[in-house]
C-alpha cells in the first residue's frame, strides 16, 4: 500500500475515534472505537493487511517504546508514593489479585497439556490466555506490547490479539463502576468536611517548572531524545547482559524514576518536545498490529476467554482491593475504586475524581476538599497498578506464554 495513503487512513481512523470518545464523554473510549474500526476493516478486506506496516508507524513504535517507558518513569514522584503508601499497597494487591484469579481460571478452563498441530504450530491453552489477560487487565499499552511480543514470538496470533480486545473493552467496565464508587466516596467525604473533620487543602503558588540538571543545549527536542535514548540503550544492554532476567522495559522504567528523583531529568521528561504526540500515537497504533491477521473464527474463539477474563479479573480486583483497603483503614468504595484503576489508569483517574468532587460539592470549598482527599489517591493508584506493578508482573509472567 502507498505509505502516504496508509498514514492518512490511520490518522483518519484515530481522528474519528477521538471524536467519538469526546462526544460520548469517554463512555466509548478512543481505543475501543479504533479497535472496532480496524477489526471490521481488516476482516472485510476494506483495509489491506499491510496498512499499519505501510504507514511506517509500526516501525517508529518499535524504536520509541523504550523512550515512552523512561518518560512514564519520570512522571512518578517518590514523595507522592511515600504519602500514599497505603494506596500503593492496595494497587499492588489488586494486580496480584487479578493474577491469582486469572491463573486459577486458566487452570480450570483449558489448563491441559501443551499440544501442537500437524504442521508443528503451537495451540494456545487456557494458561496462555490467562497470562495475556493479566497483562491487559492490569496494565496499559506497554503491558499489552510485552504480551504481544511474547505471543508472536512463539506464533500464537490469537493470544497476541486477545489483550488488544481486553484493552478496548475494559474501559466500559472500569469507567462507570469507578464513577459510581467515587460518587459514594465523595458523599462520605463531604459529610466529613461538613462535620469539621476535614480541611480544604492549601494550594501552593506554582513556581517555575523544574528543568532538571541537563545543560540547556540538551533541553532541546533532539538533546532530550538523545539523553532518553542513552537511557534506553543502557536498559537494552542490561537486558542482554542478564539474558532477559531484567527486562528492558522494567529497567527503563527504573531509570526514569531514578533520573527524575535525582533531578537529572525534569518531571515528565518528554512533555513539551515536538515529537511526543507522534511517538504516543505510534505506540497506540502498535497494539492493533495483530488485528490485521485475525480471522472471524479466531474472534469467535476469543469470546469465551474474554468473558472468563473479565469475570475472574473483576472478582480479583474487588476481592483483593476490598480486603487490603479495609485492613489499611480505607472505605470500601475508595478501596475498590483504587483497584479499578488497573482497568484504565491516567488520565481517567484524574477526570473521574474531578467529576465526583464537582458532583458532590455544593461550594468551591467543598469541591476542593473532596478533590484534595480523592484525587491524590487515584493518581497514585493509577501509577501503582498500570505503570509500575503491571509492567513488572507482565514482564515476569510473559515468558510463560507458549511453554
Amino acid at each position: 500500500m502507498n505509505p502516504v495513503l496508509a498514514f492518512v487512513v490511520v490518522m483518519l481512523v484515530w481522528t474519528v475515534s477521538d471524536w467519538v470518545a469526546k462526544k460520548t464523554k469517554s463512555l466509548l473510549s478512543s481505543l475501543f472505537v479504533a479497535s472496532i474500526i480496524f477489526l471490521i476493516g481488516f476482516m472485510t478486506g476494506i483495509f489491506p493487511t499491510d496498512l499499519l506496516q505501510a504507514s511506517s508507524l509500526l516501525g517508529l513504535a518499535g524504536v520509541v517504546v523504550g523512550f515512552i517507558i523512561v518518560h512514564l518513569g519520570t512522571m512518578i514522584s517518590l514523595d507522592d508514593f511515600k504519602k500514599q503508601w497505603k494506596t500503593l499497597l492496595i494497587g499492588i494487591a489488586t494486580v496480584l489479585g487479578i493474577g491469582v484469579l486469572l491463573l486459577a481460571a486458566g487452570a480450570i478452563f483449558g489448563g491441559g497439556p501443551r499440544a501442537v498441530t500437524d504442521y508443528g504450530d503451537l495451540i494456545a491453552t487456557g494458561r496462555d490466555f490467562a497470562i495475556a489477560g493479566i497483562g491487559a487487565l492490569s496494565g496499559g499499552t506497554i503491558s499489552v506490547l510485552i504480551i504481544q511480543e511474547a505471543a508472536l514470538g512463539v506464533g500464537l496470533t490469537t493470544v497476541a490479539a486477545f489483550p488488544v480486545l481486553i484493552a478496548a473493552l475494559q474501559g466500559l467496565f472500569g469507567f462507570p463502576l469507578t464513577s459510581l464508587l467515587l460518587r459514594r466516596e465523595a458523599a462520605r467525604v463531604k459529610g466529613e468536611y461538613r462535620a469539621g473533620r476535614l480541611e480544604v487543602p492549601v494550594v501552593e503558588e506554582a513556581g517555575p517548572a523544574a528543568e532538571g540538571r541537563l545543560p540547556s543545549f540538551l533541553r532541546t527536542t533532539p538533546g532530550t531524545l538523545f539523553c532518553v535514548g542513552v537511557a534506553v540503550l543502557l536498559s537494552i544492554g542490561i537486558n542482554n547482559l542478564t539474558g532477559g532476567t531484567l527486562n528492558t522495559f522494567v529497567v527503563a522504567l527504573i531509570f526514569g524514576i531514578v533520573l527524575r528523583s535525582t533531578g537529572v531529568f525534569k518531571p515528565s521528561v518528554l512533555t513539551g518536545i515536538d515529537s511526543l504526540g507522534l511517538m504516543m500515537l505510534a505506540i497506540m497504533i502498535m497494539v492493533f498490529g495483530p488485528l490485521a491477521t485475525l480471522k472471524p473464527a479466531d474472534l469467535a474463539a476469543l469470546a469465551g476467554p474474554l468473558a472468563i477474563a473479565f469475570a475472574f479479573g473483576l472478582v480479583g480486583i474487588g476481592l483483593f482491593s476490598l480486603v487490603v483497603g479495609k485492613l489499611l483503614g480505607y472505605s470500601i468504595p475508595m478501596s475498590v475504586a483504587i483497584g479499578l484503576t488497573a482497568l484504565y489508569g491516567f488520565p481517567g483517574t484524574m477526570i473521574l475524581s474531578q467529576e465526583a468532587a464537582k458532583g458532590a460539592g455544593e461550594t468551591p470549598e467543598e469541591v476542593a476538599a473532596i478533590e484534595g482527599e480523592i484525587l491524590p489517591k487515584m493518581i497514585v493508584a493509577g501509577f501503582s497498578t498500570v505503570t509500575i506493578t503491571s509492567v513488572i508482573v507482565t514482564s515476569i509472567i510473559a515468558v510463560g506464554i507458549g511453554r
Side-chain angles (χ1 to χ4, degrees):
M1 187 175 185
N2 180 281
V4 176
L5 176 59
F7 187 88
V8 170
V9 170
V10 171
M11 291 302 109
L12 174 61
V13 171
W14 204 254
T15 300
V16 171
S17 302
D18 271 343
W19 179 80
V20 173
K22 290 176 182 177
K23 285 295 182 179
T24 61
K25 296 182 179 179
S26 294
L27 179 62
L28 297 176
S29 70
S30 57
L31 183 61
F32 173 75
V33 177
S35 295
I36 296 300
I37 294 175
F38 280 123
L39 188 61
I40 294 174
F42 287 130
M43 285 194 169
T44 58
I46 296 175
F47 293 162
T49 56
D50 67 341
L51 171 68
L52 301 181
Q53 189 68 45
S55 71
S56 299
L57 288 170
L58 288 182
L60 175 62
V63 173
V64 304
V65 61
F67 288 66
I68 299 300
I69 287 287
V70 174
H71 173 71
L72 290 175
T74 63
M75 294 175 67
I76 298 171
S77 167
L78 293 182
D79 287 338
D80 289 340
F81 279 103
K82 290 176 183 177
K83 295 175 183 177
Q84 295 292 338
W85 63 272
K86 293 181 179 179
T87 301
L88 179 61
L89 290 180
I90 297 173
I92 293 172
T94 296
V95 176
L96 295 178
I98 294 172
V100 169
L101 267 292
L102 285 188
L103 288 176
I108 296 171
F109 301 96
R114 170 69 58 196
V116 297
T117 67
D118 293 337
Y119 302 98
D121 298 325
L122 288 177
I123 297 176
T125 66
R127 183 168 174 270
D128 296 323
F129 285 112
I131 293 173
I134 293 168
L137 274 177
S138 64
T141 304
I142 301 303
S143 296
V144 172
L145 293 177
I146 293 172
I147 291 296
Q148 287 183 341
E149 181 182 8
L152 293 174
V154 293
L156 295 176
T157 304
T158 53
V159 176
F162 185 59
V164 182
L165 299 179
I166 288 181
L169 295 170
Q170 60 188 6
L172 293 178
F173 294 92
F175 289 139
L177 288 174
T178 304
S179 179
L180 178 64
L181 290 167
L182 287 184
R183 286 175 187 173
R184 292 185 59 185
E185 178 66 8
R188 185 193 68 79
V189 172
K190 181 172 70 173
E192 293 288 306
Y193 174 77
R194 290 184 173 182
R197 293 189 290 268
L198 190 67
E199 297 181 358
V200 179
V202 178
V203 180
E204 299 180 0
E205 292 292 328
E211 295 293 339
R213 295 179 180 175
L214 295 177
S216 58
F217 75 93
L218 289 177
R219 294 202 294 266
T220 61
T221 293
T224 300
L225 290 175
F226 165 75
C227 294
V228 175
V230 170
V232 175
L233 288 174
L234 290 173
S235 302
I236 294 172
I238 292 173
N239 174 84
N240 294 338
L241 285 174
T242 61
T245 301
L246 294 177
N247 183 273
T248 298
F249 293 151
V250 174
V251 178
L253 181 68
I254 294 172
F255 269 137
I257 296 173
V258 171
L259 290 170
R260 180 225 163 107
S261 301
T262 55
V264 177
F265 284 172
K266 69 175 184 178
S268 301
V269 65
L270 294 182
T271 299
I273 70 170
D274 297 333
S275 55
L276 177 59
L278 183 60
M279 292 168 69
M280 290 296 296
L281 184 58
I283 293 296
M284 296 300 295
I285 293 300
M286 192 175 185
V287 305
F288 301 121
L291 295 180
T293 56
L294 194 65
K295 298 178 177 62
D298 297 327
L299 184 62
L302 291 177
L306 279 171
I308 293 170
F310 276 112
F312 278 75
L314 287 172
V315 169
I317 289 173
L319 182 62
F320 277 67
S321 62
L322 188 153
V323 171
V324 176
K326 287 296 292 181
L327 290 175
L328 295 174
Y330 280 15
S331 68
I332 291 177
M334 190 73 248
S335 299
V336 180
I338 288 171
L340 288 171
T341 61
L343 298 180
Y344 50 87
F346 185 87
T349 49
M350 178 182 68
I351 295 170
L352 293 173
S353 299
Q354 292 174 338
E355 288 178 350
K358 291 176 182 177
E362 298 178 12
T363 65
E365 291 76 19
E366 283 187 352
V367 172
I370 296 169
E371 186 175 309
E373 187 72 12
I374 293 176
L375 183 58
K377 293 184 177 69
M378 291 295 288
I379 293 295
V380 171
F383 276 120
S384 67
T385 54
V386 174
T387 304
I388 297 180
T389 312
S390 179
V391 170
I392 294 173
V393 169
T394 304
S395 298
I396 295 171
I397 64 174
V399 298
I401 289 182
R403 294 187 178 183

